Amino acid sequence: MSGGDPDAPVRVLIVDDDALVRAGLSMILGGVPDLRVVGEATDGDEVPAAVARCAPDVVLMDIRMPRVDGLTATEALRASPHPPEVLVLTTFDADEQVLRALRAGAGGFLLKDTPPAEIVRAVRRVAAGEATLSPTVTRQLISHLTDGSTAGPDPRRDRALRLLAGLTEREREVAVALGHGRSNAEISAELFMSVATVKAYVSRLLTKLALNNRVQVALLVHDAGLV
C-alpha cells in the first residue's frame, strides 16, 4: 500500500507511552503478512519526526500521554499535507477526547482490550479509507456528546445544517447512510447503486464538505440532527 503499491504491506506506526501496550500491538500486527510495524513512539511530541522517518500508512495513537497527548498530535498530523490515517487507542468507549480526535480527522478508535483479530481488521479498514465505527458505537459516542447539551442556539448544529444544505438529494441520502454507520456495500444495497458509485459519492462528499473521512461526515450528520 505504501508508495501506491496495492500489494505492499500496510505500514503501521505505534504511539503509546506504555511499553507493554507497544509490545503487545507489535506482536499482534507483526505476525500478519499484509501489515508491517515500521516504528514506535512513546509520546505525541515524537510523532512528527517518527512519521517523517517511517512513512506510515496508519498511526495507532494513544490518547493519554504525559507530554503531548494523542488528541493534539492527531490534530497536528491530520492538518499536515498527505497525512497517514489515524486510529485512536483508548481505555474508554465514550470519551469526549475520542470525539475530538474523530472530529480532527481520526479514522476511528480502538479500545485497548479489543481482541487481536479485530485490531487487525480495524487497521486494514482504516488503511483502505473505511470507517471503523459500528452503528452501535456511533450512537454511544453521539449520545455522550449530546448528554451535556443545553437549550438555546447551537452553532455546531447550525453549521452542519448549512453545509448539508449544499448537497444534492442523492448526496444527502449517502451522507445520512454514513451517519447510520453503513458500509459501502450496505449503502449500495440500500440506495440501489453500485459500490463504485457509492465510493464516488463518498469522495464527492468529502470534497464538498471539506472533510477528511467518513467518520467526520457521520458526525456532521449527527450534529445536524438527521439521524
Side-chain angles (χ1 to χ4, degrees):
M1 175 166 293
S2 181
D5 182 355
D7 297 321
V10 174
R11 299 169 62 84
V12 182
L13 173 69
I14 298 171
V15 183
D16 199 297
D17 63 325
D18 189 326
L20 288 177
V21 171
R22 295 198 308 274
L25 289 169
S26 292
M27 185 169 59
I28 291 168
L29 302 177
V32 181
D34 62 332
L35 303 180
R36 177 180 300 163
V37 176
V38 293
E40 297 181 2
T42 63
D43 203 280
D45 61 358
E46 300 173 9
V47 169
V51 167
R53 182 177 67 252
C54 302
D57 300 306
V58 177
V59 177
L60 293 182
M61 183 84 74
D62 187 22
I63 284 284
R64 291 170 175 81
M65 292 180 285
R67 297 190 300 275
V68 174
D69 62 76
L71 171 62
T72 302
T74 296
E75 289 173 337
L77 186 57
R78 291 300 299 175
S80 65
H82 311 296
E85 299 295 337
V86 177
L87 260 177
V88 170
L89 296 169
T90 181
T91 53
F92 301 93
D93 63 355
D95 185 344
E96 177 66 22
Q97 287 187 300
V98 172
L99 279 165
R100 288 176 61 194
L102 295 175
R103 290 192 184 282
F109 77 91
L110 289 172
L111 298 180
K112 290 189 176 181
D113 59 358
T114 299
E118 292 185 24
I119 293 175
V120 170
R121 282 195 294 270
V123 171
R124 286 172 175 157
R125 289 191 67 186
V126 166
E130 292 277 352
T132 62
L133 299 181
S134 69
T136 300
V137 169
T138 300
R139 285 193 296 270
Q140 288 175 341
L141 284 168
I142 299 302
S143 173
H144 177 73
L145 176 67
T146 57
D147 277 347
S149 62
T150 58
D154 185 347
R156 183 169 281 163
R157 183 173 186 272
D158 293 342
R159 173 182 173 274
L161 288 170
R162 185 173 66 253
L163 287 172
L164 294 173
L167 302 181
T168 66
E169 182 178 351
R170 201 59 160 164
E171 289 168 346
R172 191 182 179 93
E173 289 175 340
V174 174
V176 170
L178 292 175
H180 284 292
R182 305 279 195 266
S183 67
N184 286 344
E186 289 168 338
I187 297 172
S188 170
E190 187 175 296
L191 299 182
F192 304 103
M193 59 175 71
S194 70
V195 171
T197 301
V198 174
K199 290 180 179 178
Y201 268 101
V202 172
S203 295
R204 195 179 309 163
L205 284 170
L206 297 179
T207 299
K208 280 185 117 175
L209 299 172
L211 298 174
N212 290 312
N213 57 44
R214 303 159 67 97
V215 176
Q216 288 181 315
V217 177
L219 289 171
L220 191 72
V221 170
H222 280 276
D223 286 344
L226 299 182
V227 293

